[in-house]
Amino acid sequence: AFFIFWLVRRASGSESVATFVTLPALVFYLLLVEDRPPIERAVWMVSLYLLARLLFRQVHLANPVSLAALVVLFAHPLWLFEPSFHLSFGAVFLIAFFALPWIERTSEPYRNALGFLDAEERDEQLRPPHLVQFRLDLRLLAALVSGVAFWARDPERGARALLTRLIRIGLRAWDFFLLSFAIHLGFVLLTAFYFKRVIWAGLLTNLLVVPLVSLIVPLGLAALLLGLLWLPAGALPAAMVGTLTGLLLWLAETIAGAGLSYGIPPPPLWLVVLYLGALVLLGVAVTRASRRLRDWAGLALAALVLVVATYPFSPQAADQALEVVVLDVGQGDSIFLAFPNGETWLVDAGRGPLEVGPGYQIGEAAGETLVVPFLRQRGLKRLDRVWLTHAHHDHMGGLPAVLKEFGVGSFHVGRNPPSARYQELLEEVRRRGIPIERHQAGEHFAVGGVEVQILWPAADYEPGPEPSNNDSLVLRLCLPAAAALPHCLLLPGDIEVEVEKRLAQGTASLQAEVLKVPHHGGRDAASQEFLQAVDPDVAILSVSATNPFGHPFERVLDRLRDETEHTYRTDQDGSVTVRLETDGFQVATYRQRQRREPYPNLWAQLAACARRLLSLESF
């Protein structure tokens, strides 16, 4: 819009003509990109702003933007709870209430003072006096460097023109920095809240990337239109677009790789309210030019930025219980455990990683898209122990993303053959300085009052040349109970029927009230002998609704119905949470937390959206 408006106004000299040419161009662009919500919001904002300029001499940016927000929400009320709505309108409000007042008080007076520098009689009209001194200093400097303007008939006047142009460029750069800084004030909160990241690189990236985008978009449209008329005519702008886009991606990737971005748990609601309050207070101070209020509000906001960026809060605790969350990661396993003493474990991390190339993304990324966000939402910045049951893709693939985002106290494995991906994972663990511990049957230790036993692999077990399900670590965790028997959880990985039989016939107890069903309910999983030895009350299947293997098999489900009271499936119930306590256990699923009945009115539905936004229900 800026490009078309500037071009037409320069050509026609009329702001009205420029406006009424720009508006249809915006509608055309909206239709071209399939009416996506961010573009629709931008079209409304720009259109109302340009129309408002035709009615008033000066337009406060917040007024047409507020009207655009009301129009958009009238048509799409639920957009109020979408991150992209907050990001797009938040950016413009931050510009209106922070950047523009700062520009008016810093660079704008100097920009005005640069006008008609040769007209000394204008000096007396300027206020305050330092602007007059600024003009006098420029004339003096121009006289000293007049030899630089050798091309001009009047070297001194040429030097003044050169200095004026250079200073205007510097002032524009300062304006753009203020715009980026003002947006960044709000986006520190928004990116931490929605994306669980603090991105200091954004301030620097915007300064370099936004000017490139302002060239890429009109050049891309020009290439498209010219190519429709005559294909060779679109070749030159298309080549320019390709070059500029390559530069943009290189800049973004280079800055992103500089370590200026890191994951962080999302701020709690009370901190969000305080941060927004400090932003509003600072906006009022900046608008009213109240220096004292500005100083106090600025200090408060700086302190809150520090709190958001460091998250100095304790993670969500298990409250004297062993909490187990079987995450819904599709066809794979990922299990989070929180112990009564606050220690946290992660057992496997699902499939992955996502493979990204020029113009494509393939594969699943459970680690990046499911496991890491869940752990962040729990308020975690590190994990005490990470366990890999065995070296299959659907258990191991998401672990690199976890290792990248979280500090890890120790990494635990069983006996796995040295496959290429497994060795790469171990190398990554060693590179990060994480100690690796290998386990076998017979080991036992206590964590926060919870007894942990390693039941498999046996001391005489030798893995084959390739990773197999029977390589799986089998863990039994028991919380002492007030009654005679403890409350136990059995995590058998993907063991198959021969290992199930050996464990059932062994001397170690398998009894557990909660069983994570082995091998996702595969053909011979959870054999009758194994289930009788475990005697579970609850069975949990981690499985994808669209898996190509037919998991879980119906005969496995029949056995589970016969031998257990409840069977839960992540493909139907979502993530399953179990709390083992001294007096029993509780099970909750994502599905159980969902409302079955329709909402009585729109406001009740909006309130429910807000509650979901601020809760863990998405997991």
Side-chain angles (χ1 to χ4, degrees), residues 10-44:
R10 288 291 294 260
S12 66
S14 170
E15 185 165 323
S16 299
V17 172
T19 298
F20 289 111
V21 171
T22 303
L23 295 183
L26 285 176
V27 174
F28 170 73
Y29 185 76
L30 176 66
L31 298 175
L32 190 67
V33 297
E34 301 176 359
D35 190 14
R36 297 179 183 179
I39 306 300
E40 182 179 336
R41 289 193 292 268
V43 167
W44 276 109

Side-chain angles (χ1 to χ4, degrees), residues 344-361:
T344 54
W345 291 11
L346 182 70
V347 180
D348 299 330
R351 304 174 73 87
L354 186 69
E355 295 183 17
V356 180
Y360 73 87
Q361 292 183 346

Side-chain angles (χ1 to χ4, degrees), residues 450-471:
V450 177
E451 292 292 329
V452 181
Q453 295 174 275
I454 310 296
L455 302 179
W456 187 263
D460 60 351
Y461 175 76
E462 291 295 334
E466 296 294 331
S468 73
N469 292 324
N470 284 331
D471 299 336

